[in-house]
Amino acid sequence: MGVAPGGGALPAARYLILASRLVPDRDGGFTISVLRRAIDMAAAGADVTLLTVDPGETADHDAHRAEWVRRGLLGSRESLRNLFDDVRSNPSWLRRAAIPGPVPSSPWPTRPIVDDSGAPVLDLPVVSGDAAWHLTDAPVRVYDKGAVIGWLPGFGGLYRAWVNVVAAEGAEGGSDAERAPVVVLCEARQIGETLVAEGEPAVDAGIRVLHTTHACHVLSPFRWDSPMDAAWERWFEIADRFDGVLWLTPSQRDDVERRFGAQRLRSFVVPHPAPVVSAPSDPVSGRIVILNSLIPRKRVDHVLRALPAARAAVPAAHLFVYGDGASGAELRALATELGVEDAVKWIGHVADPETQAWASADVLVLASTNEGQPLVVLEALAAGVPVVAYDMPYGPRDTLADGGGVLVPDGDVDALAAALIDVLSHRERRAELSASGRAAAAAMDAAASMRALGTAVRAALADPVSR
């Protein structure tokens, strides 16, 4: 792909996008957003490689790569690498990184990772019952010719060693001034914590580490000063060690700065871009679309409770639900209890739901308790589908600021029903929302997102954080 030219949206650098896993139809919008970012960066001229650390089998990872290429979300199979695939194919880097000498004792059982011949390459500790398993210092035992030759300090030691090796590839020859800097965009909090932790091996000093946030950081009642869970509290303790923290919305950045002070973190707003939606829009009158997992956080039950009033005012109103999840049976029972089962179609899981959903949707509804910056809202705007959303943190308020939808007081089912009735029953109103949504999406395109990312990267390159 070449190195991004210095005069473009992104500074000249080698970019590594590091995620825990990238599995088709897993982890919702997170996975899609990470893959789309890589595509947008490559289109801007960047040398970008995706990295994952899930210890699956190489054959499974190859199948994932092939599927992403088929869906147009991966440029080539070679642009998505996995730590354990690399270990199996060439363990020499792991053996060089291993700390020689006696391996520290550990109370945890281990999981062997073997090469294609069945020979052991390393043993991973299996830490159960601990949400902070990734921070263990239990040794990762390293093998050569069937014998243990050394160890690395936990998952953090393993991840850091691999990132150092990948970052150093192609750096042989030439002076330091001639080598492109390396920028790691970390997309997962658990991995991020290990990258900037003190330890041996450490991430090389020349690597710039920026961390993207993908979720709301507070718990109920989801105000700026609400409690946080232990994982977020732990992450904020080390977040000042990143060369930049990338928030998806100004609202979330502002809430964090209000809580911790504007100088605590090096914060930047780098939103998800609105995608280009090519499917022709031919809305079916009255079709309300939900496109999310069927889990309590999504509050699909609120939409079902709003449906009787919507149907009373707009007899054509009906609901198409794309997605599945643990609450599916409970929600179907609720639809029956409310007497709207005949007006609800449960589509279930669809590999490419957007292609179907946006072609016929009259309106999208989002009733979650919290989000990061929901991709589904951006996709709806780009497709010209009006959005009715609760005014929850984070995403809808910022994304709909320039039109395309209606914000509803958070948790107010009656207001949700009234907003749906307004959009469904007034065609001129819907047309206005559709047009303003398309215009807003055009302004929130990939180029705008890349400019914001470029600003953050330039700051990190010019003034790195001392770790």
Side-chain angles (χ1 to χ4, degrees):
M1 297 177 188
V3 175
L10 298 176
R14 287 186 61 219
Y15 292 90
L16 307 176
I17 301 179
L18 180 57
S20 51
R21 65 186 181 187
L22 294 171
V23 180
D25 306 318
R26 294 285 296 272
D27 305 318
F30 165 82
T31 300
I32 302 303
S33 68
V34 171
L35 291 165
R36 285 180 179 170
R37 168 172 281 173
I39 289 174
D40 292 340
M41 292 173 68
D47 177 358
V48 58
T49 302
L50 289 153
L51 307 177
T52 59
V53 297
D54 60 310
E57 298 299 324
T58 300
D60 293 332
H61 294 148
D62 283 342
H64 300 160
R65 295 179 184 102
E67 177 61 12
W68 290 131
V69 170
R70 185 193 70 80
R71 296 189 192 182
L73 288 169
L74 187 67
S76 69
R77 299 187 187 193
E78 294 73 26
S79 61
L80 173 55
R81 293 171 59 172
N82 174 268
L83 186 159
F84 297 95
D85 295 350
D86 279 11
V87 163
R88 294 185 185 99
S89 64
N90 181 8
S92 60
W93 65 268
L94 177 67
R95 293 164 182 162
R96 289 194 301 270
I99 300 170
V103 178
S105 62
S106 169
W108 301 110
T110 59
R111 170 185 176 179
I113 301 296
V114 301
D115 63 19
D116 291 341
S117 70
V121 179
L122 60 83
D123 285 335
L124 288 176
V126 179
V127 182
S128 57
D130 185 356
W133 59 266
H134 54 292
L135 299 179
T136 181
D137 58 3
V140 174
R141 291 197 290 265
V142 178
Y143 289 80
D144 189 9
K145 298 177 182 177
V148 175
I149 62 165
W151 61 285
L152 289 168
F155 294 94
L158 178 62
Y159 297 164
R160 294 190 297 268
W162 185 51
V163 168
N164 286 339
V165 167
V166 175
E169 291 175 353
E172 297 80 6
S175 65
D176 290 342
E178 294 172 326
R179 297 171 188 159
V182 175
V183 176
V184 172
L185 300 179
C186 186
E187 303 283 354
R189 276 180 291 148
Q190 290 176 329
I191 301 174
E193 288 182 80
T194 67
L195 287 190
V196 299
E198 295 181 3
E200 180 63 39
V203 172
D204 288 345
I207 298 175
R208 304 292 177 259
V209 182
L210 288 86
H211 200 295
T212 301
T213 58
H214 284 270
C216 177
H217 63 283
V218 291
L219 301 174
S220 180
F222 305 107
R223 294 191 295 260
W224 72 271
D225 57 351
S226 293
M228 296 186 297
D229 66 24
W232 272 109
E233 289 178 349
R234 190 176 58 241
W235 183 85
F236 274 109
E237 289 177 358
I238 55 90
D240 59 349
R241 295 173 61 84
F242 295 113
D243 295 292
V245 176
L246 312 182
W247 303 100
L248 292 172
T249 65
S251 294
Q252 189 170 15
R253 178 208 51 197
D254 293 347
D255 279 0
V256 168
E257 291 186 347
R258 183 179 182 187
R259 184 171 191 146
F260 294 103
Q263 305 305 315
R264 170 73 181 280
L265 307 179
R266 302 182 65 185
S267 290
F268 303 87
V269 176
V270 182
H272 293 320
V276 175
V277 177
S278 57
S281 179
D282 185 19
V284 174
S285 180
R287 180 161 298 172
I288 305 165
V289 165
I290 290 176
L291 206 165
N292 54 232
S293 302
L294 305 186
I295 57 176
R297 182 172 68 85
K298 299 295 186 177
R299 292 193 292 199
V300 176
D301 60 310
H302 284 218
V303 183
L304 291 173
R305 295 183 189 281
L307 191 55
R311 293 185 76 197
V314 185
H318 60 284
L319 183 63
F320 268 40
V321 183
Y322 292 83
D324 55 23
S327 299
E330 179 182 344
L331 291 169
R332 287 176 172 83
L334 178 61
T336 299
E337 177 186 333
L338 295 170
V340 295
E341 68 275 14
D342 61 325
V344 182
K345 184 168 184 179
W346 305 93
I347 307 297
H349 171 74
V350 178
D352 300 301
E354 301 86 357
T355 303
Q356 297 182 31
W358 306 139
S360 61
D362 212 6
V363 62
L364 169 79
V365 64
L366 183 70
S368 306
T369 61
N370 66 96
E371 296 283 352
Q373 185 199 14
L375 283 176
V376 68
V377 174
L378 289 161
E379 291 166 352
L381 297 186
V385 176
V387 176
V388 171
Y390 276 154
D391 188 10
M392 97 296 276
Y394 290 97
R397 174 168 289 274
D398 297 273
T399 307
L400 299 176
D402 292 325
V406 181
L407 283 177
V408 175
D410 190 15
D412 189 334
V413 174
D414 290 339
L416 187 69
L420 289 170
I421 291 168
D422 178 55
V423 175
L424 293 176
S425 61
H426 298 94
R427 303 317 290 175
E428 290 186 2
R429 168 72 165 148
R430 186 199 183 275
E432 291 172 357
L433 290 172
S434 177
S436 62
R438 288 184 186 275
M444 295 184 287
D445 63 359
S449 181
M450 290 299 100
R451 288 193 297 272
L453 177 59
T455 296
V457 173
R458 287 187 179 88
L461 293 175
D463 185 20
V465 168
S466 176
R467 286 192 285 273

